[in-house]
Amino acid sequence: MFPTFPIRSMEQHDADLQVVLETRKPYHGICGTNSLMQFQDLDHVKAEIPDYLHAVCQGVIKFFIELWTKTKNHKNPWYLNKQKRAIFDLRIKKIKPPHEITRTPSPLTRLSDWKALEYRAFALYYFCILEDLLPKIFFDHFSWLSYGLQVLLQDEVSVEKVKEVEFLFSNFVRETETLYGVKHIRFNLHLLTHLSQSVLHWGCL
């Protein structure tokens, strides 16, 4: 089992902020005061909610697709070569998305034009077409993200399921380092570990 770390509390935030004010240097991700601190009864640690559309859709999902398709990664086992990308494009053209998807699925050749909702649709509905194109270990790893998003994007979800996704996303981030290397760890990946707490405090994504 992977080790876990306590969620930052207001008390810990205030202690870290004091270090920042004394040293005038960022500490534990804190750079200084913010305007929310003027509201004394507001827990501004919980009030700052990750923006999943940008952090996850245009952040994490886009990051992985680019990682798989950029030619600079051609020596890595997860790389989708020209032939595999062509197969992906043929398959995605045949997909008939559900009614809630308003954009027609776009091929990888138009990846630069993809919007946030297209990245979300890929993770939720289209990712399965990569099953025999990505090595199984990388396919299974990304499927954790796909499943977790499906759970947190529901209109209603049980606390038990949210806790399950919290554990899953923590493992997802740690396995990203194992599979892809520490150099590919990004802040948006870290934000995944906070999504479940955000759902518990404020509701589904």
Side-chain angles (χ1 to χ4, degrees):
M1 181 179 294
F2 293 107
T4 57
F5 303 94
I7 300 296
R8 192 194 315 241
S9 64
M10 280 289 292
E11 292 75 18
Q12 184 61 54
H13 174 275
D14 292 343
D16 291 344
L17 176 61
Q18 190 59 39
V19 174
V20 173
L21 296 177
E22 292 174 357
T23 63
R24 297 185 179 181
K25 295 180 180 179
Y27 184 67
H28 288 171
I30 297 175
C31 298
T33 58
N34 67 67
S35 57
L36 292 177
M37 296 182 68
Q38 64 182 301
F39 303 105
Q40 295 183 0
D41 295 331
L42 175 67
D43 186 331
H44 55 265
V45 173
K46 293 180 180 178
E48 295 178 23
I49 306 170
D51 177 3
Y52 106 90
L53 196 67
H54 293 92
V56 181
C57 299
Q58 290 185 316
V60 177
I61 299 170
K62 179 180 179 180
F63 165 73
F64 276 101
I65 296 176
E66 291 183 342
L67 202 60
W68 299 330
T69 58
K70 284 190 174 181
T71 54
K72 68 178 182 179
N73 295 319
H74 70 278
K75 293 184 179 180
N76 293 293
W78 65 75
Y79 178 66
L80 298 175
N81 59 31
K82 186 176 181 180
Q83 181 182 7
K84 289 182 177 180
R85 296 198 301 272
I87 293 173
F88 176 94
D89 287 348
L90 286 174
R91 290 175 177 175
I92 202 168
K93 288 178 182 178
K94 296 178 181 180
I95 286 181
K96 295 182 179 179
H99 66 87
E100 64 262 26
I101 302 299
T102 57
R103 286 180 175 270
T104 302
S106 299
L108 289 174
T109 52
R110 291 177 52 194
L111 187 60
S112 60
D113 297 326
W114 283 27
K115 306 300 182 184
L117 294 182
E118 290 174 284
Y119 287 112
R120 183 182 71 170
F122 167 82
L124 297 180
Y125 302 107
Y126 312 148
F127 170 65
C128 59
I129 65 180
L130 286 178
E131 186 170 9
D132 59 343
L133 301 179
L134 270 180
K136 187 177 187 303
I137 192 171
F138 299 103
F139 181 87
D140 290 347
H141 172 253
F142 191 86
S143 68
W144 298 354
L145 176 63
S146 178
Y147 170 76
L149 289 177
Q150 289 180 33
V151 171
L152 299 186
L153 283 166
Q154 295 179 95
D155 293 333
E156 295 182 3
V157 62
S158 67
V159 172
E160 181 181 17
K161 278 291 184 181
V162 175
K163 290 290 186 180
E164 175 186 309
V165 172
E166 182 175 34
F167 180 77
L168 188 68
F169 278 176
S170 293
N171 287 355
F172 176 84
V173 173
R174 294 177 188 278
E175 280 298 297
T176 298
E177 179 179 342
T178 301
L179 296 175
Y180 295 91
V182 67
K183 69 178 181 179
H184 292 303
I185 298 299
R186 300 290 188 272
F187 180 67
N188 284 331
L189 279 165
H190 168 74
L191 287 179
L192 286 176
T193 65
H194 291 277
L195 282 185
S196 293
Q197 285 296 318
S198 176
V199 168
L200 291 174
H201 294 145
W202 301 102
C204 294
L205 299 179

